[in-house]
Every structure is written in C-alpha cells, then in structure tokens.
Amino acid sequence: MGLTIEPPHDHGLTTQEVEQLQKEWGLNHVAAKTIPEWKKILDRYLDWVSLIILISAIISAAVPVNGDQGWTSFVMLILELQFVVWMGYYSDRNAGDAVAELAALSAPMCHCLRNGKWGSLPVKELVPGDIIGLKGGDVIPADSKLIGEGEPLKIDESSLTGECLAVTRHPGQEILAGAVVVSGELDAMVTATGVNSFFGKTMALLAVPPERGHLQQVLNRVSIALALFAVAGCAIILGVLTGHYDNPPGYSIVTVFVIFTSVVPIGMPVVTTTVLAVGAREMAREKAIVTRLSALEEMSGMEVLASDKTGTLTLNQLSLDKEDILNWGTHTKDDVLLYSCLSAKWENNDAIDKAVTNSLGDKKYVAGYRITKFSPFNPVDKKTTAHTITPTGEKLITTKGAPQIIGDMLADPAARQACADYIAERASRGLRSLGVARSDDDGQTWSLVGLISLLDPPRPDSGETIKLAQSMGVAVKMVTGDQFAIAVETCKRLGMGSTIMEGKTVMAGLKGGDEGKPDPVLIQHCDESDGFAGVYPEHKHMIVSALQAKGRLVGMTGDGVNDAPALKKANVGIAVAGATSAAKGAADIILTREGISTIIIAIVRSRKIFRRLEMYIIYRMASSVLILGFFFFAILIFDFEIPTWILVLISMLNDASVIATSYDAVHSSDYPLHWNMTKDLAIAFSIAMVGIVGNVLLVPFVRPDLWFEWPELDTEPALKTPPDNGVSTSGKEPALIFLSLSGMVQLNIILTRNPSFWWHFSKKSAPKPSPILLVPVTCFLGGSTFMSVYWNGNIKPDGQRYLFEGAGWHAVLLVWAYVFVFWVIADFFKVAISSVFVKADLIKDELKGHIDGKEKTPGWVKALDWPGETADKISDKIEACFDGMCSCFEKKEKKAKFQRTSVVSEKEGEGQVHVQVEGEKQA
C-alpha cells in the first residue's frame, strides 16, 4: 500500500518527483459521497406535506360531485405541489452553493518539506513520499509513517475506529488519514493518498453531521400543532357536511380535503429554507461559511461571546524587544538570546519560536551547539526544553516558557521574585513574558538566565468591534491561556473590563458542583467575569457550561483541537480564520477573514433572519386559524359553500406571495432575540379571531335575499331566490366571500411584519415594506378584486354545483371597506397584545440578574409563560421516553465499549483528562 522508497528527510521531494508521482497516484482527494439530485427531489415529493397536496388533488379529480369532477382543482393542486417541491429544492441548492463557493477559500492545508524548504501546501497536492510536519491540532492529511526525532504523538482516531481514547504513536509507526493530533510534534512521510489510503477518507470525515437545531424544533411544533388543529376541525366539518341530506359524499370529502390542504403550512419548508439560504449567501459574501443553516437563527439570541484572545482579538504577530531583555546574574543579554534560541525550533516553528529565532537573525550563531533531544511546547507544561551539547563538549539543558512555570523551577528566591516582578511590570504594558533558564546537572537544579518579552498587540478593529457587540446586548468575554495580569491589561485595552477569573478557580467550582456540573457560585462568577485567564481545554468547556446554566445563549470562538469540545458545547461554535480542521469540524460557522468583525455582521444578519422567520410563523398560524375557523363556523351556522378551486387559489396565492417575505426589509435588533411561542400564538390568534368574526358576519349580508335586494346591486333577479334547502345558488356570494377572505389573508402579511401599527415605520418598529414584498401582494389583491368584479358566471371550472360570478364594483368596494375596518381592528388587537408581552419581557430582564431569590416574578408574567413552558415540558418528556426506549438497544454495546476503554486506560493512563474532553466533542 503506497510508496516503498524513502526519500532523504533533509530536503524532501523535488518538483520533478512530485509531478511524476502525481501522474502515478493522482491527487490526495476522495470525492465525498453526495445524495443524487434525483433522490433529493424524490424525497421532497414524498414529504408529508407534499403527499397531502397529492392526495387532495387525486380526490378532487377522482370523486365526482353532481356528476362533475374537479379537474381544475386537480391541476391547481398539482401546480402548487410543483411550486413547493422545486422552490424548496432550489433554495437548498443555492444555500449549498453559497457554502461551496467560500469553502474553496478555506481548503485544508498542511506543512510540507519540498525542494529543501518547509512551506504551506494544499492537502490535495500531497503525494506518497512527501515529508509533512505534524503537531497538536492538525488533522493527518494522508496515511503516513512517523520519522525523525521528537515527542510521540497523541492521536485521536475516534473518527476512524470509534474508540474514544487517544493513542500514542512513536517514530516508525503508521498513522492514518483523518485522525487528529491531540499533542506532540513529529515529522512524517506520506505512504498513501486519496483512494489508495487505508480507509479512503477525506477531510469530510470531520464534518458536523446534520442535526435538528432549535429552529427545526420550533417549526416542527408549529407544523404539528396546525396539522392537529386542522384534523380536529376538518373532522367536525366532515361530520356536518356528511350529515346534511342534500350533500353527496363526494362533495363532503373533496371539500374537507381541500380545506385541510389550505390550513396545513404547505409553504413553511420553502419559506424558512429560503430565508436561511438568503442569509447564508449574505454571510458567504462576508467570508464566512455557515455549515449549519439553523445556526443563523440561533445566533440571533446569542447573549455571550466567549472569544479566544491570541490571533482573534490580537494580531498574533509576536516580536521580541531586545531592549527589554532582563539578564540575570552573570549572564549577558546575548546569553539570554542564545539560550532562548537553543530552546526554540528553527524550522516549521510556531509564532513564539519564530519571534525568538528571528531576534537572533542567523542560525550560524547556534551552529556549534548540537541538540540531542527537544521537547516542544504543550498546553500542560507551557515550556520548551532542549538537551544540548555545547561546542566545548559540555552537556547543558536549556528551557524557555511561561515565567510563572520557570519561576517555580528555580531554587533562588530572588530569581523567583524577579520572575514575578517581570510578569507584573510587562503585563501592564501588554507584553507577553518568557523566562529562560539552564541546568548543568541534568535537570536537578535550574538557574535563571533572564527574561524576555513579546508583544502581541490588539487588532486595530477589535476594540470597536467589542463596543458594537456590547451595544447590541452581547457580552464579549475573553478566554486565554495567558497569565492573569496580561489578561487584565488586554481587557482594559479593549474596553472589556478587568474582572478576570483564573482557570484554577473554574476547576474549584467544578469540584463543588453536582456530578461534574458547575456549582451556583461558579455559574454566577462566570456570568459576571469579563474574561478568563490561565485556562486549559477542560476549563473552556466548563466555562461554556456554566454560562449556559445561567440561561445564556453562548457563542464560542476557537482555533485549536482543544477548543473543539467548547465549540461543540456552545450554542453557536465559531472557528476563526486559520483554525485547525478539528476546530472547523466542531464549528457551526467558519470565518476566513481574520478578526471578529465578521461576527458582528453575522449577528446583524441573524437578527434580521429571526425577524423574517417570526413574522412568517405568526402570519402562517394566523392564516391557518382564520381559514379553518371561518369555514368551520360558516358551514356549521350558515351551511355556506364555496367552490373548492377558489380555496386552492387562495392557498396558492398565499404561498406565492409569502415567499417574498424572505427578501423583505427588516430592522436588526439592539438586543438578543428569543422565541416566545406564547406571544406569537397570542398575536396570531387575535388576528385570526378578528378575521373569523369579520368574514362569518359577512356571510348573511351577501346572501341574495339580503344583499342583492338593493336595486343598484341587483343585476340578475333570477338568482335571488334560494332553493328549498336554504343554500344559496348565487355565484356572487362566494365571489364576495373570496374577496373578503383573500383580502384579509393577504393584508395580514403587511400587518404581521410590523410589531407596531402597520403604517408606523421607525427604527424601533419596522422599515417600509420592500418592493419585492409589495409587488406580489398588490398583484394578488388586484387579481382577486377583478375576479370578484368581472368573473363570468358561465365559467364553472369544477361543475354546476360550484357557482362563482362577479358581483360588480359597488359590492366589491363595499366589501373592501368592510375588510379594511376589520383589518384595522386586528391591528389594534395585535399592538395591544404585543405591548403586554413587551412589558413582561422588561420585567423578566430586570429580574434576570438577581440571584438572592427575593425578587419574585409577577403572577401575570408567569401566566404568560405557562403555555410555552408546558409545551416544552411535554415535548421533553416525549423525547426522554423515546431516548429511554432507544437506550436499551445500546446497553450491551456501551458495556463492551467501557470494557475496551478500561483496558486502554491502563496503557494510556496519562491521557485521562484528554479522554474526558475529547469524549465531549464526539458526543
């Protein structure tokens, strides 16, 4: 398998060798398996909503009513089915294209040695025989064999083998593509690439699997609730229609199915997907990849952003200030530079080692020294160590690292105090400090050589970005592994406050909690802190957990493999520019532009998306309740009937025009937004009830024996006399009801988009409607009006029973005035109910920060929250029962896995902390 020859390790492959090997082995790329386009389309046709439309269409055409079949309804339903399926399909595809366009800009890279030089190379260009450098956080780009000298690699192979424990690999051992390097640093020679690798894996192995996010849960609940509501109402309507002696069974069945089709949220998947796809494309233009569309909605409610410091808030461009070197004892500043450079890697190095070696300038100054063993930096030891033989043959150990770590190694109290003083003084200037020490007795005792400082200044836009985030109600909390003093100084420079919690305090709070959960005191302290210093990987995960336990929606930025658990745990995980593949795999949003300014843009976009989604859900619930409620009472009280093709037409017009809400002009928000389904349901029902009352009261006034007794409106006296069964045979009655019903439903789009009165446009309410929204609404209202005025009664699309005839301008204008009055009344109800919930939200915000329990939530506020909380509890119980049933099938497998874990733990005892953290990532 793969290459058998081993090229020299000092220069790697040449360009000519690479070209020849690429012809033989191809690119290091395996196309990820994708769902065929035909299957995606078929799945949409088999969706439950699509099946309902199809069944209604078949029934309309197959069941005769008075000898006639509803072919018009059939054709319109089939057209609506095509609209729903293909609009949803193209929306999904456009969202995928938006991700793919930007994903090309963040193709996986690796460190590779070619033509004697180390450089960054796209993973897909690797060939067998290439020499690559691996360190903590890297995803192994190809099957390889470890070579050279260095610390063994700790490798997480869970994505390949399913084993959660990390394994240790030494030089000479094989490693597999797709595994993640947890710690250590070694070179490796590529042995197999692409389809020739052991598993044929690609970088897609670390992709986040699709999961049902919070938005999907909300939409599913709305869809199920409306469907159940429709089933109950239509069952009663079916009973009433069937019980009527004059109604044939076919008429009852067709009418009920068409009503049901009009009530269920047929266009909901299309609208929500379109809204999110538009947001994803907008984010793509801002150099951000959205890997989980629903994360855009969840970001709208983000209250806390836990941000990494180095490289995110700061430039991550360290430089050593030679004038600021503090030499200790008999050592000179040149000695400090020399020993610090001996303790640094010169090739394939990190930012700190690069800053140190650049300060010396030329490797010739250390040419006489021979390094026999080198221990690279790791997050636990926080230092680098080199075993050296001097030009005179003496053995020497040099080390550089965090001053507090170096200080703890020293026996001289004065030197230890010098380290502490140096940290404090340099931290006040925003400098990063390093201690340099040496040992002449094989590490038994250490003496201080000196201290150096490195500057990593804040990004020019970080301070302004943080201010913008704070003004939008998002608290930015810095998370760094740096010392406490440096964290304080950086926070002050960025205007973030100086209340900093240390990592050891986080762990102390964890021990005081219940079963690995943070205790209440830690939760409160994390919420009040401006940042966290000296944190380890497990601290980050616990910080996110504590903030979530406080009830906050948390966003987390990170770039390393040790950030993956926290990124996965956070409500919105954000991988910053330059992040490792492991961090990208755990994140919901991947930034390709440096800094966090893109996050502010994402917050603004997400809040606009939330506004559009909330507006649509309120509108959809109000429309469904209005249509079902009207026909329920109109049929039950007045024995009202309307051509079924008119019902289908109303549904089609609604679904077509509401798509435009995806592009409507909306304001963002100055504060995080959260779903309050109790409020949305109350507003929707208030609007719907006004519409139901208005339309039902209109029915008796459009009867021929009442409305058309007026001479100026009575154009066909023969149609005035009702038959013996009391059901009107006039086609003008359904024409005017159609106008009233479609008018109120269409105008509700304008009504629900504004939390204030529909005509009041401001920064706190809503902007003026977009032309993209007004054009279809205006066209459909105009079309409905002309149909109600001019429709020829001799045109009977679905047979003789269903009459529809234009009623003339006088009647239509009167109905329009009637509709406008009830529309304004509905608007007043909407504003009144909204104001009640706004007041309740203000009260809850005031009480949110209190922990003493003395402030009690008013009873009426609790009453408003009760319906939503009850629904959540019921949903949680159902999911818990389902999980309980599923767990019994996994019990034996988990037990076997635990036994395997126990065996490996005996071999890999030192990896216990990493096992727990990485296990969280895989959960």
Side-chain angles (χ1 to χ4, degrees):
M1 175 181 73
L3 200 67
T4 56
I5 63 170
E6 294 190 10
H9 299 164
D10 55 347
H11 61 74
L13 296 174
T14 64
T15 302
Q16 293 76 11
E17 290 172 331
V18 169
E19 292 176 353
Q20 181 179 353
L21 288 168
Q22 281 186 345
K23 292 179 181 179
E24 181 179 356
W25 300 100
L27 293 175
N28 182 32
H29 174 72
V30 179
K33 292 183 178 180
T34 57
I35 301 175
E37 297 301 314
W38 66 265
K39 191 175 185 303
K40 292 180 182 179
I41 298 172
L42 180 62
D43 289 342
R44 290 188 175 276
Y45 277 110
L46 297 178
D47 181 75
W48 71 276
V49 173
S50 299
L51 291 177
I52 289 174
I53 302 175
L54 184 60
I55 293 172
S56 299
I58 293 173
I59 291 175
S60 297
V63 179
V65 179
N66 290 356
D68 296 309
Q69 293 171 300
W71 287 108
T72 301
S73 298
F74 172 82
V75 172
M76 294 174 68
L77 286 169
I78 293 299
L79 289 175
E80 185 172 19
L81 175 61
Q82 307 309 314
F83 173 80
V84 170
V85 168
W86 289 97
M87 277 297 296
Y89 168 72
Y90 280 114
S91 295
D92 271 345
R93 195 178 73 169
N94 289 340
D97 291 345
V99 174
E101 289 172 9
L102 203 59
L105 301 178
S106 61
M109 307 291 287
C110 65
H111 289 287
C112 183
L113 176 64
R114 284 186 180 176
N115 298 311
K117 294 182 180 181
W118 284 96
S120 185
L121 184 76
V123 166
K124 68 178 182 180
E125 295 184 12
L126 287 177
V127 295
D130 266 325
I131 305 301
I132 56 176
L134 299 173
K135 58 184 177 180
D138 290 342
V139 174
I140 299 173
D143 287 1
S144 309
K145 182 176 72 173
L146 295 176
I147 59 175
E149 298 180 350
E151 289 296 311
L153 299 185
K154 201 82 162 182
I155 297 177
D156 175 12
E157 295 182 340
S158 58
S159 61
L160 304 176
T161 65
E163 179 56 66
C164 63
L165 282 174
V167 296
T168 301
R169 294 288 182 260
H170 299 271
Q173 292 184 312
E174 298 284 341
I175 54 178
L176 301 177
V180 181
V181 180
V182 178
S183 62
E185 192 167 356
L186 271 176
D187 294 339
M189 185 189 72
V190 176
T191 58
T193 58
V195 295
N196 300 302
S197 62
F198 185 74
F199 284 102
K201 299 294 184 179
T202 65
M203 305 310 292
L205 286 171
L206 293 178
V208 179
E211 61 180 34
R212 191 176 70 168
H214 182 251
L215 177 60
Q216 281 70 29
Q217 295 176 13
V218 171
L219 297 178
N220 286 342
R221 290 178 183 178
V222 172
S223 298
I224 292 173
L226 291 178
L228 293 176
F229 187 68
V231 168
C234 288
I236 298 175
I237 294 175
L238 180 61
V240 173
L241 292 176
T242 304
H244 198 289
Y245 69 92
D246 189 55
N247 288 328
Y251 166 75
S252 303
I253 295 173
V254 171
T255 301
V256 167
F257 264 93
V258 172
I259 292 175
F260 183 78
T261 304
S262 302
V263 173
V264 294
I266 292 173
M268 181 172 286
V270 178
V271 175
T272 53
T273 302
T274 303
V275 171
L276 294 175
V278 170
R281 293 196 69 86
E282 290 175 346
M283 289 305 302
R285 289 194 290 268
E286 301 296 338
K287 308 301 181 184
I289 304 172
V290 181
T291 62
R292 183 169 61 91
L293 284 180
S294 59
L296 287 173
E297 175 267 333
E298 293 172 11
M299 179 174 271
S300 65
M302 186 175 70
E303 300 167 292
V304 177
L305 176 63
S307 176
D308 182 41
K309 179 182 78 70
T310 305
T312 303
L313 298 177
T314 60
L315 289 173
N316 194 23
Q317 295 177 358
L318 298 180
S319 60
L320 189 152
D321 187 356
K322 293 183 179 180
E323 300 298 325
D324 202 45
I325 296 175
L326 174 64
N327 52 300
W328 186 258
T330 59
H331 298 98
T332 65
K333 290 187 176 183
D334 290 337
D335 291 335
V336 178
L337 274 180
L338 174 64
Y339 291 133
S340 64
C341 289
L342 288 175
S343 305
K345 287 191 66 175
W346 282 77
E347 296 176 345
N348 193 25
N349 49 16
D350 58 19
I352 294 178
D353 282 356
K354 184 177 295 185
V356 171
T357 55
N358 286 343
S359 67
L360 198 60
D362 197 327
K363 196 175 181 180
K364 67 181 182 181
Y365 294 110
V366 295
Y369 294 83
R370 184 161 60 90
I371 307 298
T372 60
K373 181 181 179 181
F374 184 81
S375 300
F377 178 87
N378 65 74
V380 177
D381 295 335
K382 294 189 175 182
K383 66 176 188 266
T384 60
T385 304
H387 295 252
T388 307
I389 297 178
T390 67
T392 59
E394 299 176 357
K395 291 184 177 180
L396 174 69
I397 303 179
T398 61
T399 184
K400 66 172 174 59
Q404 70 271 25
I405 300 296
I406 302 300
D408 291 341
M409 297 167 56
L410 305 175
D412 184 4
R416 298 176 66 176
Q417 185 60 42
C419 290
D421 294 342
Y422 194 88
I423 292 173
E425 198 278 329
R426 270 45 178 194
S428 65
R429 297 162 49 194
L431 302 177
R432 186 187 188 103
S433 304
L434 289 176
V436 182
R438 61 176 289 174
S439 174
D440 300 310
D441 53 6
D442 200 24
Q444 297 297 319
T445 60
W446 294 86
S447 59
L448 181 65
V449 177
L451 296 116
I452 58 179
S453 58
L454 304 172
L455 175 65
D456 181 17
R459 291 184 179 276
D461 62 338
S462 291
E464 185 62 28
T465 301
I466 291 172
K467 289 181 181 178
L468 286 173
Q470 292 170 340
S471 68
M472 298 170 67
V474 179
V476 181
K477 298 179 183 291
M478 185 181 70
V479 182
T480 179
D482 277 340
Q483 305 98 323
F484 177 84
I486 291 179
V488 171
E489 177 65 23
T490 305
C491 280
K492 287 181 178 178
R493 287 172 176 255
L494 294 172
M496 297 174 61
S498 57
T499 304
I500 304 298
M501 178 184 289
E502 294 190 85
K504 58 184 179 182
T505 307
V506 175
M507 292 308 294
L510 172 60
K511 295 177 181 178
D514 179 24
E515 297 183 357
K517 298 179 181 179
D519 64 16
V521 176
L522 173 63
I523 292 173
Q524 187 63 24
H525 285 172
C526 287
D527 188 54
E528 295 175 348
S529 297
D530 300 307
F532 305 87
V535 297
Y536 293 136
E538 59 267 31
H539 299 158
K540 298 179 181 180
H541 186 274
M542 187 49 58
I543 289 168
V544 174
S545 299
L547 292 171
Q548 289 175 332
K550 181 63 178 176
R552 310 298 188 191
L553 290 179
V554 183
M556 176 74 194
T557 69
D559 59 359
V561 66
N562 53 4
D563 294 320
L567 292 173
K568 198 78 170 180
K569 177 66 176 174
N571 300 95
V572 182
I574 304 169
V576 298
T580 63
S581 296
K584 292 178 181 178
D588 303 310
I589 298 175
I590 303 171
L591 307 182
T592 59
R593 178 184 295 164
E594 294 184 343
I596 62 172
S597 59
T598 305
I599 297 177
I600 301 300
I601 298 174
I603 293 173
V604 173
R605 302 288 189 196
S606 67
R607 293 181 182 180
K608 289 184 177 182
I609 289 171
F610 184 95
R611 296 283 199 195
R612 294 185 180 115
L613 290 173
E614 185 180 41
M615 169 260 176
Y616 169 70
I617 288 177
I618 294 174
Y619 165 77
R620 181 66 258 190
M621 290 190 296
S623 299
S624 296
V625 175
L626 171 57
I627 293 173
L628 181 62
F630 165 73
F631 283 103
F632 181 87
F633 290 107
I635 292 174
L636 196 65
I637 299 173
F638 299 108
D639 204 6
F640 174 79
E641 65 179 46
I642 192 171
T644 53
W645 66 272
I646 288 296
L647 272 176
V648 178
L649 180 61
I650 293 175
S651 179
M652 290 184 63
L653 294 180
N654 292 343
D655 291 335
S657 59
V658 81
I659 290 293
T661 60
S662 305
Y663 302 91
D664 187 23
V666 293
H667 287 317
S668 183
S669 172
D670 294 334
Y671 51 86
L673 299 173
H674 305 286
W675 289 105
N676 187 339
M677 292 310 297
T678 306
K679 179 195 73 173
D680 295 343
L681 192 61
I683 294 174
F685 261 88
S686 67
I687 295 172
M689 293 309 297
V690 174
I692 292 171
V693 171
N695 281 282
V696 171
L697 290 179
L698 186 63
V699 172
F701 291 100
V702 297
R703 293 288 193 187
D705 54 336
L706 294 174
W707 184 273
F708 293 107
E709 285 292 335
W710 301 355
E712 66 274 32
L713 301 180
D714 186 11
T715 58
E716 295 188 30
L719 295 177
K720 294 190 299 179
T721 305
D724 295 336
N725 62 4
V727 179
S728 172
T729 58
S730 170
K732 298 180 180 180
E733 172 187 343
L736 295 174
I737 292 298
F738 160 71
L739 176 62
S740 175
L741 194 61
S742 62
M744 286 190 182
V745 170
Q746 286 287 316
L747 288 176
N748 282 344
I749 297 177
I750 306 299
L751 189 148
T752 54
R753 67 177 299 276
N754 196 337
S756 182
F757 294 106
W758 69 268
W759 45 264
H760 183 259
F761 307 120
S762 67
K763 291 184 178 180
K764 293 185 178 180
S765 57
K768 294 180 180 179
S770 168
I772 299 178
L773 178 65
L774 289 178
V775 169
V777 171
T778 303
C779 290
F780 294 146
L781 289 176
S784 300
T785 300
F786 278 88
M787 278 185 62
S788 301
V789 173
Y790 294 114
W791 188 268
N792 190 333
N794 294 321
I795 301 176
K796 304 180 177 87
D798 279 345
Q800 294 296 324
R801 182 179 180 93
Y802 306 114
L803 300 180
F804 190 89
E805 182 182 11
W809 279 109
H810 291 89
V812 165
L813 292 177
L814 286 172
V815 169
W816 261 121
Y818 181 88
V819 167
F820 184 79
V821 169
F822 276 88
W823 183 54
V824 172
I825 294 173
D827 201 22
F828 273 95
F829 272 89
K830 176 203 71 177
V831 173
I833 292 176
S834 297
S835 63
V836 173
F837 281 94
V838 168
K839 185 176 181 180
D841 289 339
L842 292 175
I843 293 175
K844 286 187 287 186
D845 287 340
E846 292 176 359
L847 300 177
K848 198 170 187 178
H850 297 289
I851 60 172
D852 53 15
K854 294 181 180 179
E855 293 76 7
K856 294 183 178 180
T857 305
W860 67 273
V861 176
K862 293 181 179 179
L864 291 178
D865 292 334
W866 179 83
E869 293 175 354
T870 303
D872 289 338
K873 289 179 181 179
I874 294 174
S875 177
D876 292 341
K877 287 182 179 180
I878 294 174
E879 292 179 2
C881 292
F882 179 78
D883 293 340
M885 289 187 292
C886 294
S887 63
C888 65
F889 296 102
E890 302 175 0
K891 191 173 183 181
K892 292 183 179 180
E893 182 181 355
K894 289 183 177 179
K895 184 177 181 181
K897 187 174 182 179
F898 175 77
Q899 292 173 347
R900 294 196 305 270
T901 302
S902 300
V903 173
V904 179
S905 295
E906 294 177 1
K907 299 178 181 180
E908 306 287 347
E910 74 275 13
Q912 196 64 34
V913 171
H914 290 288
V915 170
Q916 295 173 355
V917 174
E918 293 303 313
E920 292 284 352
K921 181 186 73 172
Q922 298 297 332

